[in-house]
Amino acid sequence: MRIGVVTFPGSLDDRDAQRAIRFADAEPVALWHGDHDLRGVDAIVLPGGFSYGDYLRAGAIASVSPIMAEVIDAAKKGVPVLGICNGFQMLTEAHLLPGGLIRNEIGTFVRRDQTLRVENADTAWTNDFASGDEIVIPLKNGEGGFIASDDELDRLEGEGRVAFRYVGVNPNGSLRDIAGVTNERGNVVGLMPHPEHAIEPGFGPDTDAAMRSGVDGLRFFTSAIQALQAV
């Protein structure tokens, strides 16, 4: 399987995402923000960072970059797309996902190992989990507060489109503790925490078993491979 990772000016975690894809036994493919070519990839990751300096709003300029026209078209055809942190912001700005992300409630950048509950295990990026699983992956953002109207929040809840929810601590003031959402089809998922930073023992979050042993993030990428194999 070939999974593309788009690099934008200001991307920070594109190489980490590529490495996570290798750990999941797929082939990472580097994609460039200024191109109109997805190079025939089977899935796409929009990585974290500060694309275009986060001018206007985080993810706003990136959402109208040349490559995003192709990403939007591919997503509408069912290609799995994962937006991580800044990538999540891009997906909401591009209207591939509902809602929006605003400045953290406490007004400062937050970095922590964050517990999440998997609310929907039926998406292309979560099928290797079970609903109700609690996982720990790193979080780092300054504009991670998820917002939507009350009606839209009710609709997301009713349709099972809340993919992840914060547990224990809500680090950024997201409404209803929402950490990630999915589209109706389940092929597009966005979340603020960073699964690509929890893929290898010795470099992930601490667990009860050992320091830095958390690898919950790897299952995001194995999920995508399983979803593609099932097609």
Side-chain angles (χ1 to χ4, degrees):
M1 297 296 175
R2 302 172 73 246
I3 301 179
V5 179
V6 182
T7 296
F8 299 85
S11 291
L12 297 180
D13 300 295
D14 46 343
R15 297 296 181 89
D16 301 83
Q18 291 176 23
R19 189 165 179 270
I21 291 164
R22 289 191 193 95
F23 265 71
D25 293 326
E27 177 187 350
V29 178
L31 303 176
W32 184 242
H33 72 109
D35 292 341
H36 279 284
D37 185 2
L38 294 178
R39 300 179 60 190
V41 297
D42 302 296
I44 302 163
V45 175
L46 304 178
F50 302 91
S51 59
Y52 298 94
D54 277 351
Y55 291 112
L56 299 182
R57 294 180 306 277
I61 298 175
S63 72
V64 294
S65 64
I67 197 72
M68 284 300 292
E70 312 308 321
V71 172
I72 291 168
D73 184 59
K76 290 179 178 178
K77 293 177 180 176
V79 172
V81 179
L82 177 66
I84 302 170
C85 196
N86 195 217
F88 184 14
Q89 294 160 342
M90 295 175 205
L91 291 174
T92 61
E93 291 286 343
H95 305 295
L96 286 173
L97 290 177
L101 286 306
I102 62 171
R103 187 75 178 166
N104 292 347
E105 187 175 55
I106 61 173
T108 61
F109 188 90
V110 176
R111 195 224 68 83
R112 55 176 284 115
D113 290 340
Q114 179 66 49
T115 302
L116 304 177
R117 183 169 59 249
V118 180
E119 300 284 8
N120 184 337
D122 293 323
T123 79
W125 299 93
T126 61
N127 63 76
D128 204 14
F129 298 102
S131 294
D133 280 353
E134 291 193 2
I135 63 175
V136 179
I137 59 177
L139 173 143
K140 48 176 185 173
N141 64 68
E143 297 183 39
F146 182 80
I147 59 169
S149 68
D150 286 339
D151 287 345
E152 188 157 47
L153 289 168
D154 289 342
R155 181 171 62 85
L156 292 175
E157 301 272 15
E159 294 176 357
R161 291 174 56 192
V162 176
F164 301 96
R165 213 179 298 269
Y166 296 117
V167 175
V169 174
N170 182 332
N172 44 40
S174 290
L175 297 180
R176 303 193 189 181
D177 298 330
I178 292 174
V181 298
T182 182
N183 65 345
E184 292 181 8
R185 192 168 181 172
N187 63 303
V188 179
V189 171
L191 78 162
M192 290 311 296
H194 288 258
E196 76 278 15
H197 295 322
I199 62 161
E200 181 181 11
F203 299 92
D206 294 343
T207 71
D208 292 340
M211 293 177 60
R212 303 297 185 188
S213 61
V215 294
D216 288 333
L218 187 60
R219 286 191 281 171
F220 286 76
F221 303 96
T222 56
S223 289
I225 294 168
Q226 291 176 178
L228 291 167
Q229 290 172 335
V231 174

